[in-house]
Amino acid sequence: MAGTLSGGSEATAEFARRYGKPFLHLAHGERPRHPETLRDFAFDEGIKRLNIAGPRASTEPEVGEFVRSVLEAAFFPAER
């Protein structure tokens, strides 16, 4: 897992580890294949409910668009 987690994102990762839940960290600008990575992760882990944690838009204004674009490309590719 590349990138540095802090605040609520770091806490979410720690809770996932503590309770044996699957966890995936996707950092903006890191890898171009995020939608495929997320889709494969959700399928492989049998994910039914997805918790998304990340920085506040006040500190990383582009985070909302990043999350939206990854989710749409991963789970609704025909609608793009």
Side-chain angles (χ1 to χ4, degrees), residues 1-14 17 23 25-27 53-54:
M1 174 179 6
T4 302
L5 296 175
S6 62
S9 299
E10 185 176 27
T12 298
E14 180 53 38
R17 287 196 256 326
F23 170 77
H25 174 221
L26 300 176

Side-chain angles (χ1 to χ4, degrees), residues 5 16-17 22-23 26 32 35-37 41 45 55-56 58 66-67:
L5 296 175
R17 287 196 256 326
F23 170 77
L26 300 176
E36 294 86 357
T37 301
F41 169 78
E45 296 292 340
R56 296 172 190 255
S58 61
F66 168 69
V67 171

Side-chain angles (χ1 to χ4, degrees), residues 26 28 34-35 38 50 52-53 60-77 79-80:
L26 300 176
H28 180 67
H34 286 323
L38 176 58
L50 186 63
I52 299 172
E60 193 172 321
E62 67 278 359
V63 70
E65 175 58 27
F66 168 69
V67 171
R68 185 189 62 72
S69 67
V70 170
L71 288 171
E72 284 181 351
F75 300 115
F76 306 101
E79 297 177 17
R80 290 184 64 95

Side-chain angles (χ1 to χ4, degrees), residues 15-54:
F15 285 127
R17 287 196 256 326
R18 184 180 307 159
Y19 294 106
K21 300 294 183 181
F23 170 77
L24 175 67
H25 174 221
L26 300 176
H28 180 67
E30 226 171 64
R31 295 184 298 174
R33 300 187 58 88
H34 286 323
E36 294 86 357
T37 301
L38 176 58
R39 191 173 42 250
D40 291 347
F41 169 78
F43 179 78
D44 293 347
E45 296 292 340
I47 301 296
K48 301 271 189 253
R49 186 172 296 139
L50 186 63
N51 178 54
I52 299 172

